[in-house]
Amino acid sequence: MKKTIRDVDLKNKVVLMRVDFNVPMKDGKITDVNRIVQALPTIKYALEQDAKVVLLSHLGRIKEESDKAQNTLAPVAKKLEELLGKSVKFVPETRGKAVEEAVKNMKSGEVVMLENTRFEDLDGKKESKNDPELGKYWASLGDVFVNDAFGTAHRAHASNVGIASNLDTAVAGFLMEKEIKFIGDAVDNPVRPFVAILGGAKVSDKISVIESLINKADKILICGAMAYTFYKALGYEVGESKCELDFVEFAKGLLDKANGRIVLPVDTVVTKEFAEDAESEVVPSDKIPADKMGLDIGPKTLELFANELKGAKTVVWNGPAGVFEFEKFAKGTNGICTILAGLKDAITIIGGGDSAAAAIKLGFEEKFTHISTGGGASLEYLEGKELPGIECLEDEECHCGHCHHDHK
Ligand code: ADP
Ligand code: MG
């Protein structure tokens, strides 16, 4: 385990806190405040400990000057102020005199937020390429580094790895701690039976996750468009369904290797067109008409999955069961949510951007043990990779003998 913000003395210290405020925006308005809400416990804790909190985050991608206007963190600072019930001083710069003065003038218990760290990408991708001088500069502003941005932990950027490598004290925030605990434990030290549910758009996106989980999970339930590549491997007709011909051999190999631990859907909802109101029918998996495409799993599959999940103690789910964006084809995804919500004493974890969005959209936000805030980061963590944004933090001294892969 990594050291956390609890392990350091914060009194009167300038705490540089990397948060993930990469919130979805539309027309200058924040459409989902979840990421801000998730960062509140760490910020509040630091303030209670009389720290001076300096927040850094990225928002969107900055490729040209004109990207700046719609990716300023100014509205996020406003929203944070509201949610925190405390004034947040926003500095519309990422470096320079205004930044240094603002930090210098801080009193304990105050919050300053800098402009989007990726504004530094305009001039030679300094943030995204972890420019050594930039990390050093940001580090020079503070005493302690706290990383609570799990969503960017799979990237080595100046605002995480760069700062951490220039400060003696670099620890995890509470959100980061939660992500490490739930996803890390599920992958490295799961309470069994451990069942993984994998769906979503493509086998090719998830190769490493499947390969990693196939050695760890007791069962892997496949759904989403991914299933059709497996059907093809079994020689079934898949019609117009999304299917990756280049990965049929890979799917075959997995089925051989899995020894029955891979469970495929037994029925599927098919239609002639990819549309919200398309006429649909349920067919057995090996009876997909040549002119139709599968957009969801069917009711028999949900029964089968419910059975496989009975008694599971750890469940990790990545990838929606169907095209949940269309209400008509959200039944499979909804059904899986319902099954998982009903499991007693199971640790249920969602990793994956769209799966998390689906579960929240369908109203199951409170029903899971943990919904990861990181899309790409949770996927890489599930693959068993070491994430640079976690690696750069200090290790706890530990003698427990069963620590995660982040333990040196
Ligand atoms: P996550 O972000 O959770 O890792 P993915 O990005 O892999 O998930 O997949 C999400 C996408 O997969 C969704 O947009 C969904 O519409 C799509 N999808 C799921 N099932 C199907 C299907 N049968 N046909 C086409 N697209 C599908
Ligand atoms: Mg996705």
Side-chain angles (χ1 to χ4, degrees):
M1 198 40 220
K2 291 293 176 181
K3 274 194 185 162
T4 74
I5 190 166
R6 266 188 236 96
D7 300 320
V8 283
D9 177 19
L10 301 177
K11 200 172 169 67
N12 302 330
K13 300 269 170 63
V14 175
V15 173
L16 301 169
M17 193 182 289
R18 177 60 160 97
V19 286
D20 180 2
F21 285 167
N22 185 30
V23 291
M25 308 266 283
K26 205 173 179 187
D27 307 324
K29 281 221 156 78
I30 301 166
T31 54
D32 180 0
V33 296
N34 183 42
R35 285 190 161 156
I36 307 177
V37 171
Q38 297 269 3
L40 292 177
T42 312
I43 298 171
K44 282 185 178 162
Y45 175 84
L47 294 175
E48 279 160 18
Q49 302 292 311
D50 288 325
K52 304 169 188 179
V53 176
V54 179
L55 299 169
L56 296 108
S57 176
H58 78 283
L59 176 62
R61 284 216 171 88
I62 309 293
K63 287 189 178 141
E64 42 201 84
E65 192 65 35
S66 59
D67 293 332
K68 280 183 163 181
Q70 47 191 344
N71 287 300
T72 170
L73 279 172
V76 177
K78 265 231 155 69
K79 183 50 87 179
L80 173 64
E81 202 161 63
E82 215 180 288
L83 293 167
L84 201 57
K86 199 171 176 60
S87 122
V88 172
K89 185 178 166 49
F90 178 67
V91 186
E93 307 283 339
T94 48
R95 65 164 94 199
K97 207 156 182 239
V99 169
E100 291 149 31
E101 286 292 311
V103 175
K104 206 173 84 194
N105 293 329
M106 287 178 89
K107 296 195 187 68
S108 298
E110 289 184 349
V111 186
V112 160
M113 186 163 150
L114 305 191
E115 183 54 284
N116 186 350
T117 54
R118 287 198 184 158
F119 279 20
E120 291 282 347
D121 277 353
L122 269 188
D123 176 20
K125 295 217 164 208
K126 289 200 164 74
E127 156 74 329
S128 297
K129 291 209 163 135
N130 188 12
D131 175 69
E133 185 264 332
L134 180 58
K136 196 168 172 184
Y137 170 74
W138 278 331
S140 76
L141 299 168
D143 306 304
V144 171
F145 178 59
V146 175
N147 194 4
D148 216 18
F150 178 73
T152 34
H154 57 317
R155 305 274 180 251
H157 287 176
S159 64
N160 55 13
V161 173
I163 300 178
S165 50
N166 284 289
L167 277 177
D168 288 339
T169 312
V171 297
F174 296 128
L175 177 58
M176 184 69 95
E177 180 188 35
K178 209 161 100 185
E179 299 273 7
I180 295 174
K181 179 172 154 35
F182 285 116
I183 305 186
D185 264 3
V187 174
D188 292 334
N189 196 23
V191 186
R192 292 182 188 276
F194 170 28
V195 181
I197 307 170
L198 294 175
K202 292 181 183 162
V203 171
S204 55
D205 283 347
K206 308 279 167 86
I207 288 178
S208 313
V209 185
I210 309 176
E211 280 183 326
S212 157
L213 290 178
I214 210 161
N215 297 317
K216 290 168 181 162
D218 299 298
K219 279 277 166 74
I220 297 185
L221 315 183
I222 301 279
C223 52
M226 204 192 267
Y228 307 107
T229 303
F230 282 91
Y231 290 165
K232 194 87 186 173
L234 292 172
Y236 296 178
E237 169 70 57
V238 298
E240 301 286 318
S241 309
K242 206 170 194 164
C243 174
E244 292 173 285
L245 294 176
D246 292 350
F247 289 89
V248 173
E249 279 309 309
F250 172 76
K252 247 184 217 162
L254 283 175
L255 289 171
D256 285 344
K257 196 164 137 192
N259 245 327
R261 278 178 298 129
I262 289 185
V263 179
L264 297 175
V266 288
D267 57 355
T268 183
V269 183
V270 295
T271 93
K272 273 199 175 147
E273 44 172 352
F274 187 86
E276 171 84 81
D277 52 359
E279 220 173 279
S280 66
E281 60 170 333
V282 178
V283 297
S285 299
D286 56 353
K287 299 276 183 313
I288 297 176
D291 61 345
K292 292 196 170 180
M293 67 182 92
L295 295 185
D296 198 6
I297 54 174
K300 288 219 170 70
T301 302
L302 277 174
E303 266 172 52
L304 172 70
F305 283 9
N307 243 331
E308 296 288 352
L309 286 159
K310 222 174 259 165
K313 288 282 183 279
T314 305
V315 182
V316 168
W317 179 17
N318 170 277
V323 182
F324 73 96
E325 293 92 338
F326 297 155
E327 206 186 324
K328 190 166 182 182
F329 305 105
K331 289 198 187 100
T333 303
N334 202 348
I336 292 179
C337 283
T338 307
I339 296 168
L340 297 186
L343 290 180
K344 300 232 163 16
D345 333 307
I347 301 161
T348 52
I349 299 159
I350 298 188
D354 291 294
S355 341
I360 292 169
K361 183 180 167 201
L362 295 169
F364 287 87
E365 184 161 9
E366 303 299 322
K367 303 288 186 191
F368 287 86
T369 311
H370 182 60
I371 299 182
S372 178
T373 52
S378 60
L379 208 59
E380 291 197 19
Y381 210 28
L382 286 175
E383 288 168 15
K385 282 193 190 149
E386 295 191 335
L387 308 189
I390 296 177
E391 284 306 295
C392 69
L393 306 176
E394 287 168 72
D395 288 305
E396 201 177 38
E397 280 133 54
C398 176
H399 310 285
C400 71
H402 58 259
C403 272
H404 319 128
H405 44 59
D406 56 20
H407 190 251
K408 281 187 191 114

